[in-house]
Amino acid sequence: YRGAPVACAEKFPNLAINFALYDTAKKHSFRLLPATGAESAAPVPALEHGGNETSGSSSSIAHRVRKSMPEEIRTTKDQYAMLRSLCCGVFAGAVSNACTFPLDVCMKNLQLDGKGGAPKQYAGAMDCARQIVKKGGAGALYSGLGAQLCKAVPVAATSFLVYD
């Protein structure tokens, strides 16, 4: 399978950068989004003052919904947890894919090299990178990055959102 070594050389750093940046971004995100949400653990005012739980008011409905939730969700102190995971995942996914994208371009070129009876152009990964830069400049190694980010960033963000 042509391009397999390059695929491994691209995936391992991509995932390493992705997880490292996610953890780092998440640690520093507490400075941007407060970690405590007093609203999430506040008692329902209607019940606190002797209100009727079956009155049908929005506060009694909210109380019943909260009561049906698992304890760890009811008492969460981080109301921004999902937003934090999503934003940090977007950041990590975008940077890790941008860093390793030249390897992805080389991998795809190597996989397509010689297909359909065409003569092979590349002797290996380094030769492929050299020829790409020679023909189109260094920017050619990033050709298609926008489409890659449109695919990979939501995947990374969703993965970390579900992961946490």
Side-chain angles (χ1 to χ4, degrees), residues 3 6 11 25-26 50 52-53 55 64 71 75 80 91 93-94 103 106 115 122 130 138 146-147:
V6 181
K11 278 299 169 201
K26 193 157 183 196
N52 185 357
E53 187 179 327
S55 66
R64 281 185 265 162
E71 180 65 25
T75 59
Y80 299 108
F91 170 72
L103 291 170
C106 289
K115 293 288 181 189
Y122 309 116
R130 267 189 234 108

Side-chain angles (χ1 to χ4, degrees), residues 5-163:
V6 181
C8 290
E10 185 262 340
K11 278 299 169 201
F12 291 134
N14 184 303
L15 291 172
I17 292 167
N18 200 5
F19 279 99
L21 282 177
Y22 176 77
D23 286 341
T24 303
K26 193 157 183 196
K27 286 176 191 169
H28 292 288
S29 70
F30 286 97
R31 295 178 187 164
L32 302 173
L33 294 172
T36 58
E39 310 83 27
S40 65
V44 178
L47 295 174
E48 197 175 53
H49 300 301
N52 185 357
E53 187 179 327
T54 59
S55 66
S57 70
S58 62
S59 62
S60 66
I61 293 169
H63 175 71
R64 281 185 265 162
V65 169
R66 279 183 64 75
K67 198 172 180 181
S68 69
M69 291 179 181
E71 180 65 25
E72 61 272 6
I73 294 174
R74 266 189 283 159
T75 59
T76 184
K77 292 184 178 171
D78 190 359
Q79 67 179 351
Y80 299 108
M82 290 177 69
L83 178 62
R84 181 175 286 114
S85 290
L86 194 64
C87 290
C88 293
V90 165
F91 170 72
V95 173
S96 65
N97 276 280
C99 288
T100 59
F101 193 71
L103 291 170
D104 192 52
V105 169
C106 289
M107 175 193 67
K108 289 175 183 166
N109 278 298
L110 285 170
Q111 288 172 340
L112 294 174
D113 191 29
K115 293 288 181 189
K120 291 190 179 195
Q121 301 175 33
Y122 309 116
M126 290 304 291
D127 181 51
C128 179
R130 267 189 234 108
Q131 287 190 42
I132 291 171
V133 170
K134 188 176 180 178
K135 288 178 189 172
L141 290 172
Y142 289 92
S143 178
L145 178 61
Q148 172 70 11
L149 292 177
C150 287
K151 175 193 82 152
V153 169
V155 169
T158 306
S159 297
F160 283 119
L161 182 64
V162 173
Y163 173 73

